Amino acid sequence: MRYTRGLLLLAGVLAACTIAGEPGVLPVPTPQQLAWQRHEFIAFAHFGINTFTDREWGEGTEDPQLFNPTDFDARQWATVLQDAGVKLLILTAKHHDGFCLWPSKFTEHCVRNSPWRHGQGDVVREVVDALREKQLRVGLYLSPWDRNQPTYGDSPRYNEYFRNQLRELLTNYGAVDEVWFDGACGEGPNGKQQVYDWPACYATVREIQPNALIAICGPDIRWVGNESGVARENESSVVERDGGLAWHPAECDVSIRPGWFYHASQDTQVKPLATLADIYFKSVGRNSVLLLNIPPDQRGRFAAPDVARLKEFGAFIRGLYATDFARDATLEASSQHGPEGSARHLTDGRLDTSWTPAEGQTTGSVEFDLGTARAFNVARIQEDIALGERVRAYHIEILDGNQWRTITDGKVIGHKQLRRFPEVTARRVRLVIDEAAAPPAIAEFGLHVNPFGTAN
Ligand code: FUL
């Protein structure tokens, strides 16, 4: 089994060191990447034959008769996800064991040969319908590595099988926003290493679902490099590719439990709220999208401990933003680019309007007078990334007695930074842009309270 995600990680690290970007050549997201970044929090559901064999990786020899959820309810998934603030769900339509959650006409290793709904069921259909009822977006995981398929390892023949399945999935279930291709790759029964035909896969996705983003082994969304849900500080969406710069934003995948699939033995190991909160700051708060896995159980529902935790997590996220001491502050900018670049855009709740300093300036500051001294421990800064990542260095300072004191600083802002620091009490706060590749366009600024403090 070869793992290509390591290479992707290396590419990401190199990219982070080589961001150049002169004004005018800054990469920007496609409209689809922009919408995706603004989802911030999305989910994964690992569900399949492994759910019934209590394994993480099936061998492909499992009997489809084992797949038999006793109380399958995709609406429960959708309701729980929506309440938690999740915007999109990626379902494992096929994991490495090759078992398909939809009745594929290209294999017998699928739900059609299971007792569930007397072989008439279609998990993909029920999940996409339930998601759409709640205005949630759809993503599909289709594992290229297939331990059941006899043609695997016979590269051209398997590639055709894989593309047929991809075509089937992308044709029959309406709009798909994200297609997740894992890099795991093994040898087939013939002892040969399978060589995937990625260009043909991408062409198929583009042809059938031009709005779908291709993640991980794909050009649109980048794996962050670990499975702990943690981005680096100053994680940038701009990477070097083919000698130029490209927009390739990071996605942070992590499971709410130790495993990706459900195991009753892990019911007591659902991550504590404090851990999820920390992950949120280290993913969404570091200019990345959080992809949190919640594995449905053998009933085909999210298990009680996960449901409870997601509820708390959703409440934590809403609570974090509910208090914002900057919202009603009096603002004074070092300069601004006419009414369009007015500093008041920093607190208007819109990501498509921003404060921009006067013509041609790439540095500047805005002072927030909160009216009265307030205690806070998180600052939120957001660029309008439709215009690219422009800021290269910034800091935030407070007036402490008669001295301005820096409480946090950084390089990349991007869609969102949530900067944690030991609680401070201040009335006057200043956001200072020290360096930018083009006139900065700062969309939002907020001052919040994290109940877990800095250390979680
Ligand atoms: C990995 C897979 O091998 C795991 O089973 C899981 O699907 C994870 C998200 O990606 O590469």
Side-chain angles (χ1 to χ4, degrees):
M1 220 278 297
R2 197 156 46 96
Y3 224 72
T4 48
R5 285 221 237 157
L7 293 175
L8 290 170
L9 171 62
L10 182 64
V13 172
L14 289 176
C17 309
T18 51
I19 293 162
E22 287 108 65
V25 296
L26 287 174
V28 294
T30 62
Q32 293 81 4
Q33 285 173 316
L34 180 65
W36 176 86
Q37 191 84 43
R38 291 178 178 172
H39 292 330
E40 298 188 350
F41 178 23
I42 65 176
F44 233 158
H46 275 67
F47 185 57
I49 209 84
N50 295 336
T51 313
F52 300 88
T53 55
D54 207 15
R55 296 187 64 159
E56 279 292 305
W57 279 6
E59 286 171 17
T61 50
E62 294 80 11
D63 186 345
Q65 292 284 322
L66 294 171
F67 184 84
N68 196 13
T70 51
D71 188 16
F72 183 82
D73 185 3
R75 285 187 163 147
Q76 183 245 11
W77 308 10
T79 305
V80 170
L81 295 173
Q82 193 197 36
D83 290 351
V86 166
K87 297 293 180 339
L88 178 150
L89 175 73
I90 301 173
L91 170 69
T92 52
K94 180 184 86 168
H95 202 252
H96 309 331
D97 52 72
F99 182 79
C100 300
L101 292 181
W102 79 102
S104 174
K105 63 178 185 207
F106 300 103
T107 182
E108 290 306 314
H109 200 55
C110 68
V111 277
R112 190 174 51 247
N113 290 312
S114 80
W116 179 65
R117 306 238 193 282
H118 307 290
Q120 303 296 307
D122 183 341
V123 175
V124 177
R125 167 76 57 216
E126 292 195 32
V127 170
V128 302
D129 287 352
L131 293 174
R132 294 206 178 103
E133 264 176 35
K134 295 279 180 196
Q135 281 82 49
L136 296 174
R137 306 290 182 138
V138 173
L140 295 173
Y141 173 117
L142 185 68
S143 171
W145 189 28
D146 189 320
R147 304 179 84 183
N148 173 264
Q149 189 38 229
T151 60
Y152 193 85
D154 181 348
S155 292
R157 280 181 68 208
Y158 177 75
N159 284 337
E160 195 187 324
Y161 172 80
F162 186 70
R163 249 194 355 270
N164 281 335
Q165 287 198 319
L166 185 60
R167 194 170 277 281
E168 193 176 40
L169 269 181
L170 297 181
T171 307
N172 295 338
Y173 299 94
V176 174
D177 278 29
E178 182 167 346
V179 179
W180 220 89
F181 290 139
D182 187 65
C185 170
E187 285 175 1
N190 61 0
K192 288 206 186 135
Q193 181 88 35
Q194 173 70 33
V195 180
Y196 302 130
D197 185 353
W198 291 119
C201 293
Y202 303 160
T204 302
V205 177
R206 296 288 191 246
E207 178 205 320
I208 311 176
Q209 297 271 354
N211 290 323
L213 296 167
I214 311 175
I216 316 310
C217 285
D220 305 322
I221 296 170
R222 173 169 59 90
W223 181 49
V224 78
N226 61 69
E227 292 181 341
S228 351
V230 172
R232 295 164 295 183
E233 293 228 20
N234 300 304
E235 190 78 56
S236 172
S237 297
V238 178
V239 303
E240 205 180 68
R241 192 196 284 160
D242 308 327
L245 296 175
W247 191 269
H248 204 190
E251 178 177 82
C252 300
D253 61 334
V254 61
S255 186
I256 197 164
R257 292 161 171 253
W260 291 103
F261 284 88
Y262 177 81
H263 309 287
S265 58
Q266 296 181 352
D267 276 352
T268 52
Q269 294 177 65
V270 173
K271 288 187 170 58
L273 178 61
T275 306
L276 291 181
D278 189 46
I279 287 172
Y280 185 81
F281 283 107
K282 289 175 174 161
S283 54
V284 176
R286 290 181 177 172
N287 186 34
S288 303
V289 165
L290 170 58
L291 171 54
L292 180 66
N293 178 63
I294 306 103
D297 61 14
Q298 294 191 356
R299 296 171 307 164
R301 300 171 69 104
F302 289 155
D306 310 58
V307 173
R309 189 68 80 248
L310 275 172
K311 205 173 170 174
E312 289 173 5
F313 189 37
F316 161 80
I317 296 170
R318 284 191 297 274
L320 179 67
Y321 298 114
T323 302
D324 179 358
F325 297 126
R327 200 178 295 137
D328 300 317
T330 309
L331 274 55
E332 203 179 315
S334 56
S335 76
Q336 61 188 38
H337 192 198
E340 219 177 282
S342 165
R344 68 185 165 75
H345 292 313
L346 286 167
T347 53
D348 66 3
R350 290 180 56 169
L351 294 173
D352 59 346
T353 60
S354 19
W355 162 65
T356 312
E359 184 84 48
Q361 289 188 21
T362 52
T363 60
S365 64
V366 179
E367 190 178 318
F368 297 77
D369 182 340
L370 312 186
T372 174
R374 301 288 197 177
F376 51 90
N377 56 11
V378 173
R380 172 176 52 95
I381 326 159
Q382 303 189 248
E383 282 185 274
D384 177 2
I385 55 165
L387 304 172
E389 272 176 18
R390 297 179 162 207
V391 173
R392 291 288 140 85
Y394 70 88
H395 70 274
I396 296 171
E397 49 193 26
I398 57 167
L399 190 61
D400 191 1
N402 51 12
Q403 289 280 319
W404 285 96
R405 175 161 72 86
T406 298
I407 50 171
T408 187
D409 61 2
K411 295 186 171 73
V412 171
I413 295 179
H415 169 67
K416 183 179 275 187
Q417 292 293 322
L418 294 170
R419 302 292 302 171
R420 287 180 288 182
F421 39 80
E423 182 181 277
V424 294
T425 301
R427 173 176 167 173
R428 291 167 67 189
V429 183
R430 216 188 247 164
L431 168 66
V432 186
I433 305 301
D434 298 301
E435 193 190 329
I442 313 296
E444 287 293 301
F445 182 82
L447 295 169
H448 308 281
V449 179
N450 169 20
F452 294 104
T454 21
N456 293 16

